[in-house]
Amino acid sequence: MTQKPTTLTVYLRKGGIGKTTLVALLGQFLAALGFRVAIVDLDRQGSQTAVFDLVDEAGRGGEILHLVLKRRVDILAALVPVAVPRLAGHEPGELYVVPGGPQTAEAIEDIAANPVRYKMPDTLDVVRGPIAQLAGHVDFVLIDMGPSDQVTALAGLVATDRLLIPTTMDYLSVTSIAPVIDEVDVVQQVNPALEVLGIVPMMTRYYFGGLRKSQNVQAGEEFLMANYGELVLREGKAMLDFPYHEEVNKATWAGISLLSEEVSKPVRADVLRLLNGLAARLEIQAVAHV
């Protein structure tokens, strides 16, 4: 039997907290370690298209995921190869993106309203079905959920093995975790294998690196630790977080991977600390060094 890929979803309902950045970075990292990775962009904003600069001269992003979900295009034909950064001591694998966008959410809503029209017994297979077709072709599928509506979120979570919840420390973002946990409880009735891998604090250096924390951030941090402290990923006593650096914004603007040697060693070291920690929780033994 062909080995099915491990599906990892990054999801929080609130936008602007680094989901797309984390998915793209983790995809590049796993591919740089030698794995075959596919990123499925369920974000209605088509954010992965922007990250990997998958636009033509007219600015079109080649959205195709909606056709995959409607079973009009095979997912293997929709895989768009993107560059894999090099890590010392590792032979690179493969990295693909299935570009999404605004038509993706519309397709899921359409299928949910009339699954028979698309020859599906129910809507649970809308995302799970195409991902199953990737068995034997990729080792990992990463889903960028985006700040999704509930129908899209449930469709993605049904197909998920491991869930990462990223959050900034402001109170509004942290309190957005509760609806995700509720959705997980519902989905686990259908997909009992779904596991919450943990919560990843995003851009924490901005908040904790010497600047005074606002009351909003203090309340968010206290709420997070009081309600979800056991889920916050750690390395010993330290949080496994995504630190804020101005260089991160500059690299994103220029389309440069944070694993590239064009990025400074301190930034790469911080990023690799997080990625190595996530890899360990995925039971990957390989370690990358600066």
Side-chain angles (χ1 to χ4, degrees):
M1 183 176 176
T2 305
Q3 180 74 27
K4 87 175 195 66
T6 297
T7 301
L8 176 68
T9 293
V10 176
Y11 173 47
L12 186 71
R13 284 189 178 184
K14 188 175 181 297
I17 50 85
K19 292 183 293 291
T20 294
T21 298
L22 186 58
V23 169
L25 195 55
L26 186 56
Q28 291 172 326
F29 178 70
L30 292 173
L33 290 180
F35 294 102
R36 300 166 299 171
V37 183
I39 295 174
V40 176
D41 192 1
L42 277 181
D43 187 344
R44 65 169 67 235
Q45 301 172 101
S47 299
Q48 294 297 328
T49 295
V51 169
F52 290 101
D53 204 18
L54 301 176
V55 295
D56 59 20
E57 294 179 354
R60 293 184 293 264
E63 180 182 356
I64 196 172
L65 181 56
H66 63 295
L67 297 178
V68 171
L69 299 179
K70 289 182 174 181
R71 309 304 195 259
R72 293 176 182 170
V73 172
D74 189 287
I75 193 170
L76 293 174
L79 296 174
V80 179
V82 294
V84 178
R86 294 267 178 173
L87 290 177
H90 299 279
E91 281 297 316
E94 302 165 6
L95 181 58
Y96 303 94
V97 175
V98 183
Q103 295 179 83
T104 297
E106 293 172 8
I108 292 176
E109 291 170 2
D110 192 19
I111 295 167
N114 192 1
V116 176
R117 177 184 175 190
Y118 297 97
K119 299 180 180 178
M120 293 183 212
D122 56 52
T123 56
L124 295 180
D125 279 334
V126 62
V127 175
R128 185 170 59 183
I131 288 178
Q133 292 180 278
L134 293 172
H137 299 279
V138 300
D139 305 299
F140 290 93
V141 175
L142 307 183
I143 297 179
D144 182 357
M145 191 79 79
S148 296
D149 57 87
Q150 192 171 50
V151 176
T152 302
L154 293 176
L157 290 174
V158 165
T160 298
D161 299 310
R162 310 279 185 87
L163 173 65
L164 274 176
I165 304 174
T167 184
T168 47
M169 288 299 196
D170 58 287
Y171 188 76
L172 183 58
S173 296
V174 170
T175 53
S176 297
I177 296 172
V180 175
I181 300 299
D182 290 341
E183 288 170 339
V184 168
D185 290 340
V186 171
V187 170
Q188 283 176 332
Q189 298 176 36
V190 179
N191 175 19
L194 172 61
E195 173 192 352
V196 178
L197 198 62
I199 294 171
V200 182
M202 301 292 288
M203 295 177 280
T204 53
R205 171 124 349 140
Y206 179 81
Y207 297 129
F208 305 139
L211 292 178
R212 178 179 61 83
K213 286 183 274 188
S214 70
Q215 193 167 339
N216 181 21
V217 170
Q218 290 182 57
E221 181 186 0
E222 290 170 5
F223 187 91
L224 177 68
M225 295 309 174
N227 292 275
Y228 307 108
E230 74 283 358
L231 288 176
V232 175
L233 293 177
R234 296 181 178 278
E235 185 179 60
K237 293 185 178 180
M239 289 190 300
L240 273 176
D241 57 352
F242 184 88
Y244 173 87
H245 293 272
E246 186 58 35
E247 192 173 349
V248 171
N249 294 335
K250 293 178 181 178
T252 301
W253 178 263
I256 298 171
S257 169
L258 295 176
L259 299 179
S260 165
E261 292 187 356
E262 295 181 62
V263 177
S264 68
K265 282 190 175 182
V267 171
R268 290 184 78 227
D270 279 339
V271 168
L272 286 173
R273 173 178 166 270
L274 168 62
L275 294 173
N276 281 323
L278 294 179
R281 281 153 182 79
L282 291 170
E283 300 175 348
I284 296 170
Q285 300 302 317
V287 176
H289 301 281
V290 179

